Amino acid sequence: MESNPNHVEFEFVLSENPLPDRLELYRQKKLYTDVTIKVGDLEFQAHRVALQDSSPVIREMLSEQESQQKVIEFRKELVNPLIIEDLLSFFYTAR
């Protein structure tokens, strides 16, 4: 068989974890995150694409500001910080 320099082979390894579960794990480990949600003194790391895809409210908040906004801040009096973690998990996993 003749070698072809333009021939490229790829091997794909499918994970047993579906993409939403892997993204949630990345969020929990703060890997590849590009947005911080602040509620009072608490900070939650997230991925812009996951937030924009899951929440029209956050999508609007991100689009109202400059496109490279890195922090979304909520006043603690308006948002219960204990709910944010559960809400983010739901955004990522739909569970």
Side-chain angles (χ1 to χ4, degrees), residues 55-65:
S55 170
V57 172
I58 293 179
R59 182 182 317 120
E60 186 65 28
M61 292 175 77
L62 289 170
S63 67
E64 283 178 1
Q65 305 296 323

Side-chain angles (χ1 to χ4, degrees), residues 5 7 12-14 16 23-24 28 37-39 42 46-47 49 57 64 66 74-75 81-82 84 89:
H7 181 80
F12 293 97
V13 177
L14 296 177
E16 294 195 19
L23 287 174
E24 171 66 356
Q28 291 173 359
I37 298 176
K38 287 185 71 169
V39 182
L42 295 176
H47 303 93
V49 68
V57 172
E64 283 178 1
E66 61 185 71
F74 293 101
R75 289 185 21 213
L82 300 176
I84 295 296
S89 185

Side-chain angles (χ1 to χ4, degrees), residues 77-91:
E77 302 80 38
L78 300 176
V79 177
N80 183 339
L82 300 176
I83 300 299
I84 295 296
E85 181 65 35
D86 289 338
L87 187 60
L88 286 172
S89 185
F90 178 76
F91 285 168

